[in-house]
């Protein structure tokens, strides 16, 4: 165990084996304030993340399982690293440099989150675990081979998780390729700042004047639509449930298509600037989550596919809308939308993406 009283600790323990016998480790990171994150080398999954409420009481604020078996059996991407292409690519097809690529249709009729075996289902290599002056840090790497899941180019990915002194879980991605390819990496933690039950009372603010409306298969139409006057206007802090239940059945087509919120917001900021994309406040506990990134988009998913069929940590049944995701990323289906910010990575370039989840209470 690396130990440094003022900057936290990091340690590891076996977390089981995959069906083909690969050993999986789970790292425990603790910052100097007592915030704790547990990260498995399988999928780079954040299996536990604690945050203090307004009285200083810590609770686990992410959904997931107690054991590796849970994640292996059935997981809607709980806590995982997502790639090579986060979110959907229409009909699993795109063209790059005049060549057509075909991907697995794992979310009919589209491909979702990298395909059948995305980065969430591979064992990453833990290449470094250290305590830095700003807190404990875990480095995970993965080589996605040329042709894996249908994508071109050997993609070398590094994901560095840090638990910093200001109560942030920070993720710094870098990636390089040896052939032109498309890349869109993100993080898929499901949060519940109260630690249990539905998330409808959580108050969300999203720094976006526009969002990308979708068709009935959740693929963006290409339009950047103003949020003004729609249930997608989170410019002022608004409860997730405020415009959801009333609209899910009929009146708003976008809410109907998503079965709730499952859309990409166009973050207001200059390209490449690291800014706060969204803030979430949970009134009961006082916990606040601030999500920062330099990505042009933010997928806000209100846990619409959770239906009570999964039983997670401590026997908790995950019912409809018991967790939400805020996934900083490029826009879904960008390879098929020349008007969207580009997602092509070329040899010699370095892909970079920083995602910061910062916790506080008020
Ligand atoms: C993403 C997608 C959702 C859903 C979840 C996982 O957030 O946008 O539609 O597939 O992942 O269930």
């Amino acid at each position: 165990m690396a130990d440094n009283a003022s900057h936290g600790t990091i340690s590891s323990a076996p977390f089981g084996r995959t069906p083909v016998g690969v050993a999986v480790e789970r790292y425990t990171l603790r910052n100097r304030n007592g915030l704790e994150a547990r990260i498995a080398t399988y999928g780079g999954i954040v299996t536990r993340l604690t945050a203090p409420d307004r009285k200083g009481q810590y609770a686990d604020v992410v959904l997931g399982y107690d054991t590796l078996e849970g994640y292996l059996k059935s997981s809607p991407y709980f806590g995982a690293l997502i790639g090579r292409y986060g979110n959907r690519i229409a009909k699993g097809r795109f063209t790059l440099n005049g060549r057509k690529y075909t991907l697995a249709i794992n979310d009919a009729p589209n491909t979702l989150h990298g395909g059948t075996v995305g980065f969430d289902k591979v064992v990453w290599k833990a290449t470094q675990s250290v305590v830095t002056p700003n807190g404990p840090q875990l480095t995970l790497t993965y080589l996605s081979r040329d042709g894996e899941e249908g994508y071109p180019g050997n993609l070398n990915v590094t994901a560095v998780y840090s638990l910093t002194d200001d109560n942030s879980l920070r993720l710094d991605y870098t990636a390089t390729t040896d052939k032109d390819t498309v890349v869109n990496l993100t993080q898929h933690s499901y949060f519940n700042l109260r630690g249990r039950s539905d998330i409808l009372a959580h108050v969300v603010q999203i720094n976006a004047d526009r969002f990308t409306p979708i068709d009935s298969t959740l693929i963006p139409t290409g339009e950047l639509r103003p949020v003004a006057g729609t249930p997608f206007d989170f410019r002022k802090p608004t409860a997730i449930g405020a415009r959801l239940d009333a609209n899910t059945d009929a009146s708003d087509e976008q809410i109907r298509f998503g079965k709730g919120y499952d859309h990409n917001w166009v973050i207001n900021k200059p390209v490449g600037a690291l800014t706060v994309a969204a803030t979430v406040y949970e009134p009961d506990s006082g916990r606040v989550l601030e999500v920062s990134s330099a990505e042009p988009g933010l997928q806000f998913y209100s846990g619409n596919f959770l239906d009570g069929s999964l039983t997670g940590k401590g026997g908790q049944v995950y019912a409809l809308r018991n967790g939400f995701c805020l996934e900083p990323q490029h826009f879904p289906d960008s390879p098929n939308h020349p008007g969207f910010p580009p997602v092509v990575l070329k040899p010699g370039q370095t892909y970079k993406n920083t995602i910061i989840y910062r916790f506080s209470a008020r």
Side-chain angles (χ1 to χ4, degrees), residues 35 49 134 160-173 186-187 189 191 273-280 288-295 298 326-329 353-359:
L35 209 80
L49 182 58
N134 195 28
V160 181
Y161 278 113
S162 319
L163 199 61
T164 61
D165 288 352
D166 70 344
N167 287 354
S168 299
L169 178 67
R170 179 182 172 124
L171 172 60
D172 288 285
Y173 274 121
T186 190
Q187 220 289 340
S189 284
F191 297 98
L274 185 67
T275 43
V276 177
T279 306
V280 186
V288 176
L289 165 63
E290 202 181 78
V291 181
S292 302
S293 159
E295 293 295 281
L298 179 76
L326 289 168
E327 308 155 60
Q329 56 178 17
N353 174 4
T354 296
I355 295 172
I356 302 171
Y357 296 115
R358 190 167 81 89
F359 294 94

Side-chain angles (χ1 to χ4, degrees), residues 265-345:
W265 272 253
V266 181
I267 300 305
N268 298 333
K269 64 174 183 60
V271 174
L274 185 67
T275 43
V276 177
T279 306
V280 186
Y281 169 66
E282 200 286 298
D284 214 37
S285 63
R287 289 193 183 90
V288 176
L289 165 63
E290 202 181 78
V291 181
S292 302
S293 159
E295 293 295 281
L298 179 76
Q299 185 82 9
F300 168 39
Y301 169 58
S302 54
N304 316 315
F305 295 124
L306 298 175
D307 61 3
S309 60
L310 301 175
T311 300
K313 289 183 269 186
Q316 264 199 66
V317 173
Y318 296 136
L320 181 69
R321 307 212 169 96
N322 278 198
F324 65 89
C325 303
L326 289 168
E327 308 155 60
Q329 56 178 17
H330 270 257
F331 304 172
D333 198 31
S334 291
N336 294 310
H337 291 277
F340 286 177
V343 291
V344 175
L345 182 71

Side-chain angles (χ1 to χ4, degrees), residues 76-94:
Y77 307 93
F78 283 146
L81 298 178
I82 302 292
R84 178 180 308 199
Y85 196 93
N87 213 283
R88 293 175 178 78
I89 295 180
K91 303 194 167 62
R93 284 187 220 143
F94 70 95

Side-chain angles (χ1 to χ4, degrees), residues 123-286:
V123 179
W124 293 64
K125 196 186 284 176
T127 55
Q128 196 179 49
S129 64
V130 289
V131 177
T132 76
N134 195 28
Q137 189 175 84
L138 173 67
T139 302
L140 300 174
T141 63
Y142 178 64
L143 168 63
S144 172
R145 300 254 175 217
D146 187 10
E148 186 178 297
E149 290 293 334
Y151 293 96
N154 288 295
L155 188 76
N156 259 300
V157 189
T158 302
V160 181
Y161 278 113
S162 319
L163 199 61
T164 61
D165 288 352
D166 70 344
N167 287 354
S168 299
L169 178 67
R170 179 182 172 124
L171 172 60
D172 288 285
Y173 274 121
T174 51
T176 55
T177 182
D178 59 2
K179 271 187 198 166
D180 288 12
T181 190
V182 296
V183 186
N184 186 29
L185 309 180
T186 190
Q187 220 289 340
H188 212 300
S189 284
Y190 285 67
F191 297 98
N192 185 322
L193 300 182
R194 191 154 53 140
R196 72 197 131 76
S197 72
D198 76 62
I199 45 86
L200 296 174
H202 285 58
V203 177
V204 170
Q205 183 170 20
I206 303 177
N207 176 23
D209 295 335
R210 295 170 299 170
F211 75 110
T212 53
I214 51 176
D215 66 16
S216 63
T217 76
L218 287 80
I219 293 292
T221 60
E223 182 191 347
L224 307 185
R225 187 179 291 174
V227 295
T230 77
F232 296 82
D233 191 350
F234 282 98
R235 291 174 297 177
K236 292 203 186 87
T238 308
I240 295 177
R243 296 159 305 189
L244 203 49
D245 286 331
N247 284 305
T248 314
D249 303 333
S251 49
D252 189 273
E253 186 185 60
Q254 284 300 309
I255 295 283
R256 218 162 57 228
F257 284 165
K259 297 186 168 54
Y261 295 110
D262 193 354
H263 296 76
N264 168 69
W265 272 253
V266 181
I267 300 305
N268 298 333
K269 64 174 183 60
V271 174
L274 185 67
T275 43
V276 177
T279 306
V280 186
Y281 169 66
E282 200 286 298
D284 214 37
S285 63

